Amino acid sequence: MARSRGLRRLLVLLLTLALVIGGVYAAVFFVQRSETLVSERCIAVVGGGTAELAPDQAVYASLITAVAVQRGLPPRAATIALATAMQESKLRNIDHGDQAGPDSRGLFQQRPSQGWGSEAQVMDPYYAANAFYDALVQIPGYESMEITEAAQRVQRSAFPTAYAQHERMGRFFASGLSGQTPEAVQCTLRSAVAVGDPGAVSAGLAQAYGPLVTAVEGQTLVVEATGSQAWSVAQWAVANAKGYEVTQVQVAGRTWDRGQRNGWQDSPGSDGEVRITVSPVGVEG
């Protein structure tokens, strides 16, 4: 009798363990499955309207806009640049040209044979953005020109009217990424898969904006910034969250949280700084 009761207890224990393990496995499977169903995208919401980019396009949009901010150029300059890059390369740093320019390369499809620089230079997004702005600012009154006219003066494209179709995207992302429209840019992303490096974020910001005052607190990079610059840096961080494994961005009492996927929300925070937190852990698989 005692032996029978012992066997029953053992069977109950084994069954309980099996149920627990099965439940854990099911939960993990559900989480992993849920992650694969997340449609990753970045949007810019301005005045009730919305424009959308893929996360890799948003990275280049943030760099192009940050370079304009670093140079003290108006958001209109970034709007023109973004619309141009979208038409020329779909906002991707491509290493090939087309029939109109077989040696065209990079975000703006700049041609080494036309004096834009070496192939290596025009394939450098930071160089390419600066080269575009160098040409744009030489055009008197570009700020008030139609995008097609300003872009064509720089690019001399065979399809000059094509730039206009990207004006909305360019204007919305330029407004958000320049900091003129707070909390315009938000990205929906899957969970971070690797350990983030605040130092890498700092280096990326320094290239995009020039020298910034920063400090590292654990997995958080603290950037001294106020006003539109603070919102520009914060939205740059959101646009670059996938590559840098950013999990949270805090600025001016608002927070973007990668895991919540609910846009910008109220939160405690100090004015005069942007807090960019990266993932402390990686995911095996």
Side-chain angles (χ1 to χ4, degrees):
M1 182 67 71
R3 182 178 179 184
S4 178
R5 286 197 298 270
L7 286 173
R8 284 199 297 271
R9 288 173 184 155
L10 178 59
L11 288 172
V12 169
L13 177 61
L14 291 173
L15 180 59
T16 301
L17 286 173
L19 289 172
V20 170
I21 293 171
V24 170
Y25 176 81
V28 171
F29 176 80
F30 177 77
V31 170
Q32 291 176 336
R33 178 62 176 168
S34 297
E35 285 293 307
T36 64
L37 295 176
V38 173
S39 178
E40 296 191 311
R41 64 175 187 151
C42 294
I43 61 173
V45 181
V46 179
T50 302
E52 181 176 333
L53 291 173
D56 64 317
Q57 292 173 310
V59 168
Y60 291 121
S62 71
L63 175 61
I64 290 169
T65 306
V67 171
V69 171
Q70 181 183 158
R71 295 174 63 127
L73 299 177
R76 182 64 174 176
T79 296
I80 296 167
L82 292 178
T84 301
M86 177 59 86
Q87 175 59 30
E88 297 291 353
S89 69
K90 300 300 182 187
L91 266 173
R92 292 185 168 100
N93 197 32
I94 56 179
D95 62 356
H96 57 83
D98 54 30
Q99 291 181 349
D103 65 332
S104 300
R105 297 290 186 273
L107 289 170
F108 296 93
Q109 287 291 277
Q110 294 158 332
R111 300 181 63 183
S113 64
Q114 299 298 316
W116 283 100
S118 68
E119 182 173 338
Q121 285 176 320
V122 300
M123 282 297 297
D124 175 355
Y126 181 76
Y127 174 94
N130 271 296
F132 180 88
Y133 290 129
D134 286 344
L136 182 65
V137 298
Q138 296 302 312
I139 302 170
Y142 76 86
E143 301 98 323
S144 58
M145 287 181 181
E146 294 292 332
I147 279 185
T148 52
E149 183 179 359
Q152 176 64 4
R153 292 274 195 96
V154 175
Q155 298 293 107
R156 304 199 179 281
S157 168
F159 308 98
T161 61
Y163 301 111
Q165 64 187 310
H166 306 299
E167 179 172 2
R168 178 188 177 94
M169 179 282 300
R171 184 159 48 85
F172 284 20
F173 275 92
S175 183
L177 291 167
S178 67
Q180 299 304 303
T181 301
E183 61 190 85
V185 176
Q186 47 192 281
C187 294
T188 300
L189 303 170
R190 300 185 186 104
S191 298
V193 297
V195 177
D197 179 5
V201 179
S202 181
L205 280 168
Q207 183 189 49
Y209 291 93
L212 295 170
V213 178
T214 63
V216 175
E217 298 178 1
Q219 288 298 99
T220 298
L221 179 71
V222 183
V223 184
E224 290 188 18
T226 59
S228 62
Q229 185 188 44
W231 273 107
S232 180
V233 167
Q235 293 180 92
W236 176 96
V238 172
N240 285 270
K242 184 176 177 68
Y244 286 114
E245 306 294 357
V246 174
T247 57
Q248 189 178 84
V249 180
Q250 295 174 293
V251 58
R254 301 289 282 173
T255 294
W256 172 86
D257 190 298
R258 180 173 181 160
Q260 295 299 316
R261 303 186 181 116
N262 58 356
W264 291 92
Q265 300 295 320
D266 288 332
S267 69
S270 301
D271 289 335
E273 66 179 27
V274 181
R275 300 181 67 85
I276 305 168
T277 301
V278 299
S279 177
V281 295
V283 177
E284 295 182 1

